[in-house]
Amino acid sequence: MTDALMWGALAASSLLVGALLGVARRWPGRLVGLVLAFGAGALIASVAFELAEEGLQAGGPFPVAAGIALGAAAFAGGNLAIQSLGARRHRGHPEREEGGGTGLAFGAFLDGIPEQAVLGIGLASGGGVSVALLVAVWISNLPEAIGSAADMRGGRSRRAILLLWAGVSGVCALATLGGYALADVSGETGASVINGFAAGALLVMLVDEMIPEARSKAGAAAGLATVVGFALAAGLSKLT
């Protein structure tokens, strides 16, 4: 279990590193958009070649489909609630709204928990940790956190942003330990649902938050950056 916690902390560390980079200085909007686009491509590859594919192999199409539906509904509903609360809190002060930053943070939290639980399940099953999957998770988390923290600078203090991301990182790291502990009772069907949940949450977050934000900031170059991120993460996922 110590190994699970160690690997989980390593995978989640990019969230805090990205937040630190996001609040360290004011990054040009175009650069933030390119980083977000790159991360979106990496996440698309993670959904296709890690989460969905492994879920299908473990439990078949029905558990994966159920997990995808649950993950999509959870992100869409939670993000709608967050936006509603934010609109009420900043009513009359539109300059204080945080753009897509809070949505990206919520997406990182919601998909990070099942994504890292999958790492713990793999360790408990004796398969070890795929270096390719670990690198893909780390790379895809980094731009998500940078873009979110940079967007939140207009409405939150640096301390509040870092505390938020430290909390997200800590919970995601513990999720690896939780996946390790639940591996014996969840079985292949449970692992398949977890994979699907992460995939569903990611897909909705990508379409609703990350890709529109990347396009608005980086313009036409966002598409090319997305392809580069996808190609790198896809290649990494097939190394093992």
Side-chain angles (χ1 to χ4, degrees):
M1 294 187 76
T2 302
D3 287 346
L5 186 58
M6 180 189 70
W7 286 115
L10 178 61
S13 65
S14 59
L15 293 170
L16 187 54
V17 171
L20 286 166
L21 290 173
V23 301
R25 48 164 291 182
R26 290 198 175 276
W27 300 92
R30 183 175 175 81
L31 178 59
V32 172
L34 290 172
V35 169
L36 283 171
F38 178 89
L43 287 173
I44 293 170
S46 178
V47 169
F49 299 117
E50 298 291 348
L51 298 173
E53 184 175 346
E54 291 184 6
L56 288 169
Q57 291 175 353
F62 296 110
V64 174
I68 288 174
L70 289 171
F75 179 84
N79 195 37
L80 185 63
I82 287 175
Q83 289 177 353
S84 177
L85 288 172
R88 286 200 296 270
R89 186 170 63 248
H90 299 310
R91 189 168 291 149
H93 302 279
E95 73 280 358
R96 294 176 59 193
E97 293 186 11
E98 298 158 11
T102 303
L104 291 173
F106 180 66
F109 173 77
L110 197 59
D111 69 68
I113 291 177
E115 193 174 53
Q116 297 217 178
V118 171
L119 291 175
I121 291 172
L123 279 168
S125 66
V129 172
S130 166
V131 175
L133 174 59
L134 187 67
V135 173
V137 169
W138 206 94
I139 289 175
S140 63
N141 282 341
L142 189 64
E144 198 172 0
I146 291 174
S148 172
D151 271 359
M152 282 192 278
R153 283 192 60 176
R156 294 174 184 253
S157 67
R158 292 186 180 184
R159 182 174 182 273
I161 295 171
L162 292 177
L163 283 175
L164 171 65
W165 279 102
V168 172
S169 302
V171 172
C172 288
L174 290 174
T176 306
L177 192 61
Y180 185 94
L182 290 173
D184 290 337
V185 296
S186 64
E188 292 183 342
T189 299
S192 184
V193 172
I194 290 172
N195 275 282
F197 186 97
L202 275 171
L203 287 171
V204 178
M205 185 274 291
L206 283 165
V207 175
D208 284 357
E209 300 288 344
M210 202 166 184
I211 291 175
E213 191 78 8
R215 174 70 184 183
S216 69
K217 285 180 164 60
L224 292 175
T226 301
V227 172
V228 172
F230 177 88
L232 178 61
L236 288 170
S237 71
K238 295 303 179 183
L239 286 179
T240 58

